[in-house]
Amino acid sequence: MQTTPAGALELKPGTDYVNVTSDEVMGNERSQYAAISANGRYVAFWSRASNLAPGDTDNVHDVYVKDLRTGRVHWASNLTDGMDEGAPYIAPSISADGMRVVFPTLDSTQAYVYDVRTGRTELVSDGAYARFSNVNAPNISGNGRYVTFTARPVEDTGGRSLIRLRDLGRGAGEWLDAPSAGEERWVATPSLSHDGRHIAYLASGPGTDGAEGSGTHVYALDRRTDKRMRVDPECADDPAEYGVSDPVMSPDGRHVVFRFKCRTLRPGGTNDTGDVFLKDLRSGTLRHILGPKPQFATHTGRLSADGRHIVFVAAEEREPRGPLQVIYLLDLRTGRTDMVTARPDGTVNQRPASDPTLDAHGRAVAYDAVPRDLLGESSTGGDRQVFVTRPR
């Protein structure tokens, strides 16, 4: 049994370990890919630990859900057929109330939704063929009713991928197409609003190779009106440097967060690898999201449900180590920026932190990082763990 290390008490105020059981047993292997519920009570995450749930004695990654109020850890991926190994790990997706979590198996062939309240696990990828990765990861709506991902029908052996939408309330699924998609085109990374009405996604142009080609764009779909609109701006005179990725629909369906690269974008262009942008679909305004040091690129932007806060990662250069991933929380109303991954003495983390998500009001941020680094110790390695920080 591995109990919480004494050093955990030295974390900066407002920061806690997530991958710890109610009786203070720390996971004995690495944990990553956190997703926090809008109410801030539950965090879903992947872990290779074998001591977080009774009966889980293997060394295969599993999905868990931590109740931050009671300390209980739910074993979400306790599947009859096991998880199997062999696929890249993808962050689970969690409903606003934390009662439902969706995730793919490690062999990437199936997607499931786990109900925290009942302990039941339901297959949601039936009737679809999908090799799950970051570009087609399953995403659940905030109300917990809908799950979306990209796949193709199992009977269509040579077809292209479409957007699959599963209605958990009706127990039925449907395929959604995009007018811009067609032969030799594809769609990817669909993301749902709280009520499942609005979807943000990537769609490629003909002959586009990869998710950031010059023919790829972000679109927003209103399922009720069937109206689609392009979200990302034009990149004039710089087609070779254009790139767009990681679209995320806001819970209210009004905003889309995405990463965009265009060095000729007025007024100041983007960094060489792109930055986070926030598009207001109602007003058409576009906001460039940068950290306290604007010379460094930003990525992995996630907007709070109230639309006031955005969490993101800044790739800050540190010679000779290269870029370090520092997590920040920006108040869009006041402009205040808080460093989420600061050490106890207020200095910046020296090991990469990644995959931040935040609750509805920007009061809690979940992410993964190296514990020794957050404790302020010199660290050249070590297993990553999942944390939750309440900046203020």
Side-chain angles (χ1 to χ4, degrees):
M1 176 179 296
Q2 181 178 350
T3 58
T4 306
L9 300 176
E10 300 170 15
L11 289 168
K12 74 173 184 178
T15 297
D16 297 297
Y17 288 90
V18 171
N19 52 303
V20 179
T21 65
S22 58
D23 53 356
E24 299 187 339
V25 175
M26 175 75 71
N28 55 11
E29 277 279 3
R30 70 181 183 271
S31 300
Q32 292 179 264
Y33 309 115
I36 193 169
S37 60
N39 61 14
R41 176 172 174 175
Y42 298 91
V43 177
F45 62 97
W46 285 97
S47 181
R48 196 179 177 88
S50 61
N51 61 345
L52 292 178
D56 180 19
T57 58
D58 58 33
N59 64 348
V60 175
H61 273 83
D62 281 287
V63 177
Y64 300 93
V65 184
K66 173 68 174 285
D67 185 333
L68 298 178
R69 184 180 301 171
T70 67
R72 180 181 176 182
V73 177
H74 299 259
W75 183 10
S77 59
N78 184 14
L79 305 176
T80 303
D81 298 330
M83 283 292 285
D84 298 325
E85 296 202 56
Y89 307 117
I90 305 164
S93 179
I94 193 168
S95 62
D97 62 3
M99 290 295 98
R100 284 182 164 175
V101 175
V102 63
F103 59 91
T105 54
L106 292 185
D107 63 5
S108 75
T109 59
Q110 302 288 354
Y112 290 88
V113 61
Y114 171 76
D115 192 308
V116 172
R117 188 178 291 111
T118 66
R120 296 179 58 184
T121 304
E122 175 186 349
L123 181 70
V124 294
S125 54
D126 59 314
Y129 175 83
R131 300 295 296 183
F132 289 105
S133 67
N134 286 326
V135 299
N136 68 334
N139 176 261
I140 194 167
S141 59
N143 63 7
R145 176 170 178 174
Y146 301 96
V147 175
T148 189
F149 51 91
T150 60
R152 60 174 171 78
V154 290
E155 65 273 11
D156 188 1
T157 57
R160 60 185 175 83
S161 291
L162 304 172
I163 297 174
R164 179 69 170 174
L165 185 76
R166 178 77 175 175
D167 186 332
L168 301 178
R170 295 174 51 235
E174 61 180 296
W175 296 97
L176 304 178
D177 202 356
S180 60
E183 293 297 326
E184 300 181 355
R185 305 186 186 195
W186 51 266
V187 291
T189 59
S191 172
L192 290 165
S193 61
H194 177 88
D195 60 3
R197 172 177 171 175
H198 301 273
I199 300 179
Y201 62 94
L202 289 175
S204 77
T208 301
D209 183 18
E212 299 184 11
S214 60
T216 300
H217 301 288
V218 176
Y219 293 88
L221 165 66
D222 184 331
R223 292 178 50 238
R224 185 176 300 172
T225 64
D226 201 34
K227 179 181 178 181
R228 290 171 170 83
M229 64 179 296
R230 178 177 159 181
V231 176
D232 57 306
E234 293 291 340
C235 182
D237 304 320
D238 196 15
E241 296 297 331
Y242 169 90
V244 64
S245 61
D246 195 25
V248 180
M249 176 63 71
S250 67
D252 63 3
R254 176 172 174 171
H255 301 86
V256 177
V257 181
F258 58 97
R259 192 179 192 195
F260 183 64
K261 180 178 71 171
C262 176
R263 293 192 294 184
T264 61
L265 183 70
R266 293 180 175 86
T270 67
N271 284 285
D272 290 345
T273 58
D275 294 310
V276 173
F277 284 82
L278 175 65
K279 178 69 173 284
D280 187 324
L281 302 180
R282 188 179 303 169
S283 67
T285 58
L286 184 71
R287 184 162 179 173
H288 193 172
I289 305 299
L290 292 170
K293 302 173 183 178
Q295 69 270 32
F296 296 127
T298 57
H299 61 87
T300 318
R302 301 294 183 264
L303 186 68
S304 62
D306 63 8
R308 177 169 174 172
H309 298 86
I310 187 168
V311 68
F312 61 93
V313 180
E316 300 188 0
E317 294 289 341
R318 293 287 191 277
E319 297 294 344
R321 296 184 180 181
L324 294 179
Q325 312 302 314
V326 184
I327 297 175
Y328 291 100
L329 180 69
L330 169 65
D331 186 324
L332 295 166
R333 185 181 303 171
T334 67
R336 172 176 170 172
T337 303
D338 290 301
M339 186 196 308
V340 176
T341 49
R343 293 168 158 190
D345 62 0
T347 58
V348 67
N349 55 292
Q350 297 298 304
R351 296 287 297 170
S354 59
D355 296 303
T357 61
L358 75 171
D359 70 353
H361 302 289
R363 296 169 181 163
V365 178
Y367 57 96
D368 60 71
V370 177
R372 286 179 55 194
D373 179 54
L374 290 192
L375 291 169
E377 300 178 17
S378 175
S379 174
T380 59
D383 284 337
R384 302 177 74 82
Q385 308 292 348
V386 175
F387 298 88
V388 62
T389 293
R390 297 168 182 85
R392 54 181 177 271

